[in-house]
Amino acid sequence: MNYPFYVFVICCFGQGIKPFVTLNHYDIPQLLEDRYGSWLSSEIQLDFSYFAQVCFEAFGDRVTYWTTFNEPNVFIYDGYLTGTYPPSRCSYPFGNCSYGDSALEPYIATHNLVLSHATAAEIYRKYYQEKQGGMIGIVISATWFEPYDDTPADRLAVQRSLAFSFAWFVDPLVYGDYPPEMRQVVGSRLPTFSVEERKKLLEGKLDFIGVNHYTTLYVKDCMFSSCSSPYSLGEASVYLTGEKDGAYIGEQTAMSVFFVVPRGMEGIVSYVKERYNNTPMFITENGYAQPTSVIEDSLNDTKRIEYHEKYLAVLSEVVRKGADVRGYFIWSLLDNFEWLHGYLIRFGLHYVDFQTLQRTPKWSATWYKEFLCEDNKI
């Protein structure tokens, strides 16, 4: 790891903050892409496990929580299905790229990613966990879905959507295979695990599941009925929308597909609880998108406060019902660069002047500080 990371860990530790470290967030060294195609080659498994071991060795005495991948479902979809993120590989009808195969490469890349997680977790368990006392998991972007119409077809479409967006990456790490909902659709193009790989996967490779939850969307079946755009989740054959009969599913935020639907928090947490035997969870991201505007308007972020109050209330209730949720992270501490949206939207509790980098607490920062100091917590 590089010097800034080392400084970050030391500073957190010195302030009584436990670092929650992600080993990979979307990007990959260009060298590995050029040498063997990164996630399209099984060779990535050895390189990623070596990288992970270097981090465990160097920082494991100060890092309690390790995440192998943040939102692999996002960079696999956008990198190998639609081509909107690097390495920009895709094919018709999912996207228009110079190279790639959307009907095959996303499954190959995910297969190597899942086995990379399993190998890194195996190394951590065998050589570091007992003496360092930490945990290792994976973080998934977790939209909740509701049927567009209360019909059997749309209810099945919800289950396919969850399988193609969430279970695809977690089922192998819990059950040793991909979701049956995907096998039924993808067939032989979905890779299989060898007996040795399955054994490795089933030897407890998840101490926790990270859930990045922001929004809820309607799902319309496109497998048994026609849709104008049936490629919202690749081969899941569904259409996703936040609008029905001229009304949004919830208040729209500055990010067009992010709506305020607090009940979605209960939906996704309950799904993870039931599907994965109540494996410990962290809500690793939850936040409200603001448009970039003059500082006076940005600081007065009452909508963000309302958002977190409502989502935390729902989370509190689902925890009381037995969900093993160990922690909650607001995205984000600071306004920052939001990928394809750049600096056009702001999630931070603190306003950042992108010219001077001066940071100013928003109303939500004060609210959250007071919330954390109250006696009654989740």
Side-chain angles (χ1 to χ4, degrees):
M1 298 295 285
N2 57 21
Y3 178 73
F5 176 85
Y6 180 78
V7 172
F8 168 74
V9 171
I10 294 299
C11 289
C12 286
F13 190 73
Q15 295 298 318
I17 299 172
K18 293 183 179 180
F20 204 107
V21 174
T22 297
L23 294 173
N24 178 268
H25 187 172
Y26 295 9
D27 58 354
I28 201 77
Q30 186 64 43
L31 175 67
L32 303 188
E33 181 68 30
D34 295 339
R35 181 180 294 169
Y36 54 71
S38 62
W39 296 111
L40 295 177
S41 169
S42 60
E43 195 170 340
I44 192 73
Q45 298 173 35
L46 292 175
D47 282 335
F48 182 80
S49 61
Y50 174 75
F51 164 67
Q53 186 164 10
V54 169
C55 294
F56 299 151
E57 183 70 33
F59 306 109
D61 59 333
R62 283 150 289 171
V63 175
T64 306
Y65 304 102
W66 293 99
T67 293
T68 52
F69 298 98
N70 181 62
E71 299 187 337
N73 48 341
V74 173
F75 79 75
I76 292 293
Y77 266 104
D78 293 342
Y80 296 93
L81 185 84
T82 65
T84 54
Y85 278 22
S88 300
R89 301 182 67 90
C90 68
S91 61
Y92 180 83
F94 302 99
N96 181 21
C97 301
S98 300
Y99 36 73
D101 185 348
S102 298
L104 188 61
E105 290 185 351
Y107 306 118
I108 295 172
T110 297
H111 198 68
N112 287 316
L113 183 145
V114 166
L115 290 171
S116 294
H117 169 97
T119 303
E122 184 177 46
I123 291 170
Y124 186 67
R125 291 279 174 83
K126 186 174 182 179
Y127 299 106
Y128 300 98
Q129 190 167 41
E130 184 175 354
K131 64 181 179 182
Q132 294 178 354
M135 302 174 72
I136 189 165
I138 194 168
V139 173
I140 308 296
S141 177
T143 298
W144 179 240
F145 303 106
E146 296 181 352
Y148 188 87
D149 291 313
D150 188 20
T151 63
D154 282 2
R155 289 195 294 271
L156 284 173
V158 167
Q159 296 308 309
R160 285 201 309 278
S161 298
L162 290 165
F164 273 80
S165 64
F166 196 103
W168 180 10
F169 297 83
V170 181
D171 269 26
L173 301 174
V174 177
Y175 301 115
D177 201 0
Y178 295 111
E181 299 95 330
M182 291 187 69
R183 286 268 179 220
Q184 293 171 4
V185 176
V186 180
S188 61
R189 286 180 292 111
L190 196 61
T192 58
F193 296 102
S194 68
V195 173
E196 182 179 345
E197 289 170 342
R198 191 182 297 270
K199 182 176 182 292
K200 179 189 290 187
L201 289 167
L202 290 174
E203 289 177 345
K205 293 303 183 288
L206 280 181
D207 293 323
F208 65 87
I209 300 169
V211 176
N212 289 356
H213 176 67
Y214 292 89
T215 190
T216 297
L217 295 172
Y218 291 122
V219 176
K220 186 173 182 59
D221 170 71
C222 300
M223 185 172 288
F224 303 104
S225 57
S226 61
C227 296
S228 58
S229 177
Y231 303 117
S232 296
L233 285 174
E235 294 184 84
S237 294
V238 298
Y239 173 65
L240 305 182
T241 180
E243 189 177 357
K244 177 181 176 181
D245 299 330
Y248 289 132
I249 193 170
E251 180 186 348
Q252 192 174 35
T253 70
M255 202 157 179
S256 61
V257 295
F258 282 11
F259 301 90
V260 181
V261 189
R263 64 180 181 274
M265 178 68 83
E266 180 175 16
I268 193 63
V269 170
S270 298
Y271 173 80
V272 176
K273 173 191 172 186
E274 293 164 11
R275 189 167 184 119
Y276 303 113
N277 308 311
N278 209 12
T279 295
M281 277 175 273
F282 287 85
I283 306 303
T284 36
E285 288 184 24
N286 178 237
Y288 182 87
Q290 252 181 317
T292 288
S293 59
V294 297
I295 183 172
E296 291 78 13
D297 292 339
S298 293
L299 295 181
N300 181 11
D301 61 342
T302 56
K303 293 290 187 181
R304 177 172 289 109
I305 295 172
E306 292 172 4
Y307 176 96
H308 287 295
E309 284 179 332
K310 291 175 180 177
Y311 274 77
L312 282 166
V314 172
L315 180 60
S316 179
E317 183 60 30
V318 75
V319 168
R320 291 190 184 97
K321 293 178 180 178
D324 189 359
V325 179
R326 304 286 181 91
Y328 171 87
F329 294 77
I330 283 182
W331 186 263
S332 176
L333 175 67
L334 305 169
D335 293 331
N336 59 17
F337 186 83
E338 291 292 342
W339 299 96
L340 295 183
H341 297 276
Y343 297 108
L344 297 178
I345 58 175
R346 296 172 178 266
F347 280 92
L349 298 177
H350 292 76
Y351 179 90
V352 176
D353 184 318
F354 295 128
Q355 300 300 317
T356 66
L357 300 186
Q358 180 178 348
R359 304 166 182 181
T360 306
K362 302 177 187 178
W363 287 11
S364 58
T366 302
W367 166 82
Y368 195 48
K369 180 178 180 179
E370 293 173 352
F371 170 82
L372 293 175
C373 292
E374 293 173 0
D375 293 333
N376 298 318
K377 293 294 176 295
I378 293 175

